[in-house]
């Protein structure tokens, strides 16, 4: 951890001169809220659009289910989330494209209904402008390369629809890249997979290396000419699951100029919760290959209810998330760490971070640990914004 990170303004706030005792977490809540009011508030991965499409929720209302809606984004001071258009890997080919378009249309209903509160962003300039206007900035991502159906023209059309990032794989291998939670078949990226990365660089789309196998990760870094992100991954040294990043991967990501968004989900931050995560992966590993159209949509809706119908009981806490941030900062450096909660894409956010409205609690923990305001501004958005500007050109 850098000296700036170890010391807050005026010295380490954990050790005031009065009696030498650490200050309680409650002492840091008000400063955390004030700091976050002025931060960009970027979260590089939430899956909330599925709640609009599958559950029919109006994000303008405050819900007591799920993790994110517009009121709770404002309460949590997270002003600029990446909304993932996630399609389970069991949607094949053209069905995955159809489902992606359904999700994009669902997101458009949010823009149309709440244009006074939320706006599409496609550049760093957009994000800054929208946040400055006191609205929610929505940056759209595709979560899984299978969603382009092996066709660069489909990728082009997603770009035209305002999508500016794509995760190269999801829970399974696709036809051109290996996933971290599947048996490798390509030894990383195929030649076409490398072409996908180059085309994303050319267009100005952020390459996302969460979910990919270790070999796919290194192949992507060898090919890309732009910084990449791992939008929702945590630290394998702290919780040893294949979806998390090794220290060597963190160093390589930092050398690339990229950013890791720390995932809050079950198993990602506390090894005791790995069984819950593995159960979720097993659901997506199912194979309803005979289903199409509405029948496939209904199957996916049942899966969503199993995964996200109620919050799973987990061992993970907000302190665990801070531990992963600490480790990432120590290995990659403060300029390469951000937030990638995976809210509405995990069954069990940590205790103390049950939904996005609780985000100031994490900032308070980091303040208590001695992070400076300038370092927290980086973690809460400036690092991701730098990558977006480098990729989109503005």
């Amino acid at each position: 951890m850098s000296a700036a990170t170890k010391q807050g303004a005026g010295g380490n706030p954990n050790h005031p001169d009065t009696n030498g005792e650490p200050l309680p977490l409650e002492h840091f809540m008000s400063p955390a809220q004030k700091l976050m009011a002025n931060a960009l508030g970027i979260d590089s991965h939430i899956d909330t659009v599925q709640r609009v499409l599958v559950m029919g929720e109006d994000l303008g209302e405050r819900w007591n289910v799920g993790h994110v809606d517009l009121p709770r984004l404002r309460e949590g001071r997270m002003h600029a989330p990446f909304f993932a258009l996630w399609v389970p890997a069991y949607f094949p080919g053209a069905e995955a494209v159809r489902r992606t378009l359904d999700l994009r249309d669902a997101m458009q209903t949010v823009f149309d209904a709440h244009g006074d509160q939320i706006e599409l962003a496609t550049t760093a300039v957009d994000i800054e402008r929208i946040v400055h206007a006191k609205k929610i900035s929505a940056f759209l991502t595709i979560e899984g390369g299978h969603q382009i159906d092996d066709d660069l023209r489909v990728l082009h059309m997603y770009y035209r629809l305002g999508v500016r990032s794509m995760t190269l794989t999801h829970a399974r291998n696709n036809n051109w890249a290996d996933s971290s939670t599947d048996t490798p078949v390509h030894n990383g990226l195929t030649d076409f997979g490398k072409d996908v990365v180059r085309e994303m660089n050319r267009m100005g789309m952020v390459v996302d290396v969460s979910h990919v196998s270790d070999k796919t990760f290194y192949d992507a870094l060898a090919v890309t000419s732009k910084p990449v992100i791992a939008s929702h991954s945590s630290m394998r040294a702290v919780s040893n699951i294949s979806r998390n990043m090794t220290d060597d991967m963190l160093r390589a990501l930092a050398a690339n100029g990229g950013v890791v968004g720390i995932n809050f989900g079950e198993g990602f931050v506390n090894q005791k919760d790995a069984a819950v995560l593995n159960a979720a992966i097993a659901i997506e590993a199912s194979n309803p290959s005979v289903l199409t159209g509405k029948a496939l949509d209904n199957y996916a809706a049942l899966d969503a209810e199993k995964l996200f119908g109620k919050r799973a009981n987990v061992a993970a806490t907000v302190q665990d998330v801070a531990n992963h941030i600490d480790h990432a900062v120590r290995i990659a450096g403060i300029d390469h760490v951000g937030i990638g909660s995976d809210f509405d894409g995990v069954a069990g956010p940590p205790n103390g971070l049950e939904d996005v409205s609780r985000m100031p609690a994490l900032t308070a923990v980091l303040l208590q640990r001695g992070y400076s305001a300038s370092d927290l501004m980086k973690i809460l958005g400036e690092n991701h914004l730098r990558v977006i500007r480098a990729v989109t050109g503005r």
Side-chain angles (χ1 to χ4, degrees):
M1 213 177 287
S2 68
T5 303
K6 289 179 181 176
Q7 294 289 329
N12 191 334
N14 250 334
H15 298 93
D17 293 334
T18 52
N19 56 16
E21 291 296 321
L23 292 169
L25 186 61
E26 292 74 17
H27 174 85
F28 298 94
M29 284 302 297
S30 179
Q33 291 170 332
K34 290 177 181 177
L35 185 151
M36 293 185 70
N38 295 312
L40 286 169
I42 291 179
D43 181 335
S44 54
H45 194 89
I46 63 171
D47 283 293
T48 307
V49 188
Q50 66 176 319
R51 305 195 72 90
V52 179
L53 178 66
V54 178
M55 289 80 161
E57 293 177 9
D58 177 358
L59 296 189
E61 298 181 20
R62 194 186 197 287
W63 294 82
N64 59 7
V65 295
H67 310 140
V68 176
D69 46 50
L70 298 183
R72 284 184 286 179
L73 281 168
R74 287 191 293 272
E75 289 174 34
R77 275 87 166 167
M78 296 303 287
H79 313 117
F82 287 32
F83 284 85
L85 310 182
W86 166 57
V87 174
Y90 54 68
F91 276 76
E95 288 288 347
V97 177
R98 177 183 64 82
R99 181 72 166 192
T100 304
L101 295 176
D102 284 351
L103 287 161
R104 178 62 183 87
D105 184 64
M107 193 71 225
Q108 191 61 44
T109 66
V110 178
F111 295 143
D112 293 345
H114 303 291
D116 59 331
Q117 300 180 60
I118 185 169
E119 187 177 337
L120 175 67
T122 59
T123 66
V125 170
D126 284 346
I127 293 172
E128 291 177 305
R129 172 183 56 79
I130 295 165
V131 171
H132 182 72
K134 308 299 183 186
K135 296 167 72 172
I136 300 298
S137 165
F139 196 80
L140 299 186
T141 77
I142 298 294
E143 191 180 6
H146 65 291
Q147 293 175 235
I148 70 170
D149 194 16
D150 308 330
D151 189 337
L152 292 179
R153 292 190 181 277
V154 174
L155 183 67
H156 296 167
M157 291 309 300
Y158 292 157
Y159 181 90
R160 291 176 184 272
L161 291 171
V163 175
R164 290 297 181 271
S165 181
M166 182 172 74
T167 317
L168 298 182
T169 71
H170 199 253
R172 293 182 186 175
N173 305 330
N174 55 44
N175 291 332
W176 45 270
D178 288 331
S179 168
S180 65
T181 49
D182 201 349
T183 303
V185 295
H186 304 302
N187 190 32
L189 284 175
T190 68
D191 288 344
F192 178 74
K194 294 173 183 178
D195 286 343
V196 171
V197 171
R198 294 186 187 102
E199 187 64 5
M200 291 176 70
N201 287 166
R202 186 194 68 80
M203 287 192 299
M205 288 184 72
V206 178
V207 174
D208 183 356
V209 292
S210 283
H211 278 290
V212 304
S213 72
D214 291 10
K215 182 59 164 58
T216 301
F217 169 87
Y218 286 111
D219 283 356
L221 261 61
V223 172
T224 186
S225 60
K226 304 280 182 69
V228 306
I229 64 170
S231 65
H232 56 305
S233 298
S234 291
M235 306 296 102
R236 209 177 294 180
V238 184
S239 184
N240 186 18
I241 62 168
S242 61
R243 272 280 284 107
N244 282 343
M245 301 183 71
T246 67
D247 287 1
D248 284 345
M249 292 167 80
L250 284 171
R251 294 183 186 101
L253 184 73
N256 162 266
V259 176
V260 57
I262 301 300
N263 192 315
F264 298 175
E266 66 273 7
F268 289 91
V269 294
N270 189 315
Q271 190 96 42
K272 294 177 182 178
D273 296 322
V276 180
L277 175 63
N278 290 335
I281 292 171
I283 287 176
E284 190 169 358
S286 60
N287 187 24
S289 56
V290 298
L291 301 179
T292 59
K294 188 64 175 175
L296 184 57
D297 291 345
N298 290 340
Y299 181 95
L302 290 174
D303 276 359
E305 189 62 31
K306 291 177 192 174
L307 287 168
F308 313 118
K310 63 179 181 179
R311 180 175 180 268
N313 292 320
V314 297
T317 68
V318 63
Q319 299 285 349
D320 289 324
V321 175
N323 291 342
H324 283 261
I325 292 173
D326 284 348
H327 188 85
V329 169
R330 193 159 49 244
I331 301 301
I334 192 66
D335 294 327
H336 305 286
V337 183
I339 301 298
S341 67
D342 211 359
F343 278 140
D344 284 326
V346 295
N351 297 300
L353 276 175
E354 291 83 1
D355 64 28
V356 70
S357 72
R358 303 296 301 276
M359 276 297 298
L362 175 59
T363 302
V365 170
L366 297 175
L367 284 170
Q368 186 185 46
R369 293 188 181 195
Y371 282 75
S372 69
S374 61
D375 284 350
L376 288 171
M377 296 296 267
K378 292 180 178 182
I379 292 171
L380 290 167
E382 289 178 358
N383 290 337
H384 274 116
L385 192 76
R386 183 192 70 247
V387 171
I388 293 168
R389 183 173 283 114
V391 173
T392 66
R394 55 190 293 267

